[in-house]
Amino acid sequence: MVEIIRLGLSDDDEKRSSQPASESVSPPEQTKPHEPPDPPTQASSAGAPIQPDSAESPPSAPVSPGDILLQPETVELQGTELALSETSLEPSGPLEGRTDHETAAPAPSATLPAPPDSPVPELPASPPPPPPWRSFSLRSFLGQFLFVILLLLAAGGGALAGLVFVHSSDLPQIQQLMDYRPDVMTELYADDGTPIGSFALEHRVIVNYNQIPKVLKDAVLSIEDRHFEDHWGVDVIRVVRAALTDVMEWRRAQGASTLTMQLSRKLFFTPEKSFRRKFQEVLIAIQIERHFTKPQIFTLYCNQIELGHGNFGFAAAAQFYFGKRLDQLTLPEAALLAGLPRTPTGYSPLIYPDRARQRRNQVLQAMLENGKISEAEYREARSAPLVLNVQRWNNNIAPYFVEDVRLYLERKYGAEAVHEKGLRVYTTLNVHQQQIAEKALQEGLRVYDKRHGWRGPEENIVKDPPTLPSGLLATLGTYTHPDWRTPLDPGQLVHGLVIDVKPDHALVRFGEQTARVVPGDYAWTGQKLPAGVFQTGDVDLFLVKEIKGETLHVALDQHPQVQGAVLAIENSSGAIKAMVGGYDFEESKFNRARQAARQAGSSFKVYVYAQALLDGARPFDTIVDEPLSFPSASGPWSPHNYDGKYLGTITLLHALAESRNIPAVRLLERVGVDKVIKLCRSFGLTSRLAENLPLALGASDLTLLEHTSAFSTFPDDGVHIAPRLVERVTNYDGRLIDDFPPEVTDVVPAPIARLETSMLREVFFTGTATLAKSLAEKYPMAGKTGTTNDFSDGWFEGFTPSLTCGIWVGYDDHRTLGNKEEGARVALPIWMQFMEAVLKDRPVEDFPYSPRLTKPEQVEPILASTGTDRLLSQTGSAAPAAGATPATASPAPAMAVAPARNAGTATKPVPPSAAAGLPQQSTTGSGSPATGSGSKTAPAPAPRPVNARPQPPPATPAAETASRPH
């Protein structure tokens, strides 16, 4: 087929093209099909004939009408240059007036002049056009293909630019990372710097790059991002490989997030899975790579990543799972930690140990493939067992104390600061005293509990077999108890399984060890035969007494139902040194040392006697101990003594020592209820006090904290120092936030406090606490028992020159402790055990102005010991308290006592020397020593500080803020 292209010619061009052929380019020679060509008769433009081809030239081959031979050439037509190609035939002369055959005639290889009158041979009709693809050249295809590619690239680039614009409009600023500080734990320290607890929503220990061991770096990068050192935030090769894997498996089989992308997600985004979040994650990762070095990024990752069970960062996880620092990790341990970021819960070695082991081995395989470990190291680490040493973050030394500190800090600074800002809290707790207090309380409560009989086994697995993790029922051979997970130690309470009962003993299994329990080991139950106590399958509590190789010596015990509390306060500073709020914090978190308000019983009498001494009564004054009645709205109220006996006329000294109820009520009636309540407020008692005579017998509820703190006023020479839990608080960098100096309030004059201290010393020798007489003879001490009418509460409050300790014992439901279970029997033994253990390694301290009172002549030196002779001369003699008569019949100068100051209002900070236990003297506003009735403060006691530790460096003044101790 020949394509006909009609050129658009102007009128002048048409005229020129209609001139004779001799004036124009000769038409090409035409060859009719199947016929030899005519002899050439046309003349050239010069008039010379053109001779035919020589004989040597072969004749032209026959050509069919569809096989038109085309030769590329260029023909000049009236100044117009036309290109002839293999696919198109351009005309060589005028087109008008020609037929279709003429216009479609092919051009011969030679150009000959055509005579004007020569006929034009007729050609058959053109064949049908070829299909379009035959006319589509390679050059055109490439051009169009490149055009499409460029178009797609332009569209993709525009779309990408649009996505970047849209999704980057709300991206976080990367500059935030410059000042980024992850949430860190608030840590608590004892008075010697020992860590005792921590608070955190995210348990995290910050480390720097140099503290991360190589084995951990290799493990993390091998499994999470082996091209970390080479990529720019996005690993393109990994993305392509992950995409192909996902397509082939038709699921999300492989992730492509780099370590930097994971970090950006943790720092700035939620776990939401969406294209928008993923795209933003990539943008932030690129920005992080631009602004931070690879070590900085890796360090951020190691401190930020979540690793399960509330642990964030590898340092915290190493402490939690293995109890180690990072530099102590072995290859299997590092591999286990490196495998946790993918799914911390799913690969938790505590919940799914088999999955955790498999994941650890995957990490080891990746390290081997990455050339980080040898084949031998791989095999050894892969075969290593999964060994954990879990260290719970809530494993506090003093859980009740730590919880009390947390509540105080949250009230003062807010929960966010306490759990996220990494405060450093330096408390008043003494670890040694705390441990002694916990042991004394637990043993004392168990002794009381066993006095009231054996309650039977906790469970029996034969009668009610528990289900094992495998789904099978436990048997005598397969049963396990959580107590058996750790090695046994002497003095430990542990549960045992009775596997056999013989006539003379019982066999008890403790994991892999077995003990023989003979009658002497359960004698407290009152049973003589093992069958009266044990049955096969019983699970009981035992006390490990001795371990010799594989032989155990144990004794039957039981978990007490009664509760108790212990509180110890340093007299010179008000610092709480020990606090135990119950038998077991895991069983009950209710802090009975601070939250439980219970009737104080006879221990409240000290405040009544203090007011009587303020009003002029003396220890050797007498009072009548006889029955009496008082009218009330519900009828006559007739108090009685504990023992039901009445001693007639006795001294105030012995009335207090023996805790006689009638003299206490008589004193309260004479001095006045209102005055006693007012005095109690100055002692620091804030609980509601009954405004009636039963107040003398402790009918009002007090907390152990306020009661013990009030008792510390007596060894402090009449000065009350508010109890405090915290000494100072700093931020994570050590900058001081708050300092908590003692708050001091004048309560009673020093002579009154010293005089009552002497009276309270007699409690150990002739009073209700004679059980501790031998201890009181060795260490000077004073105290008071307390028991309520129905034996529902047992108290003992006692002190030495440097330490005051209070004990309370009772049931939470206020049931009776039992007949004759008074404070001297249930609380005093606990106090004795605590004090003896605390004082045995300390020098003996004495009350320099509070001797034991044996005769009336001792009173005057006590009153004169602090210069009160001036007060005596100014105020004159004071009459004895109403209802009391002088104990001496012989004439003697009247003994006056300084009137009480306006107690309960003035509160002043104690000087540094006073906080350290040095004597101080109060001054008036002019700076001179205070004089006058009730305005002189006696020197503060100077006990040896308990476990004093160096003071912190001075803080920046701008960082200090005013605060109130808790």
Side-chain angles (χ1 to χ4, degrees), residues 217-228:
K217 296 176 186 176
D218 293 341
V220 172
L221 294 181
S222 296
I223 193 65
E224 291 294 335
D225 192 357
R226 64 178 59 187
H227 301 131
F228 172 71

Side-chain angles (χ1 to χ4, degrees), residues 153 276 302 395 684 699 743 774 874 928:
L153 289 177
R276 174 186 177 87
C302 289
N395 187 22
E743 285 189 359
S774 60
Q874 291 177 2
S928 59

Side-chain angles (χ1 to χ4, degrees), residues 327 368 380 447-448 527 568 690 819 961:
D327 58 355
L368 178 63
E380 181 181 359
V447 168
Y448 160 83
Q527 298 291 329
N819 190 32
T961 58

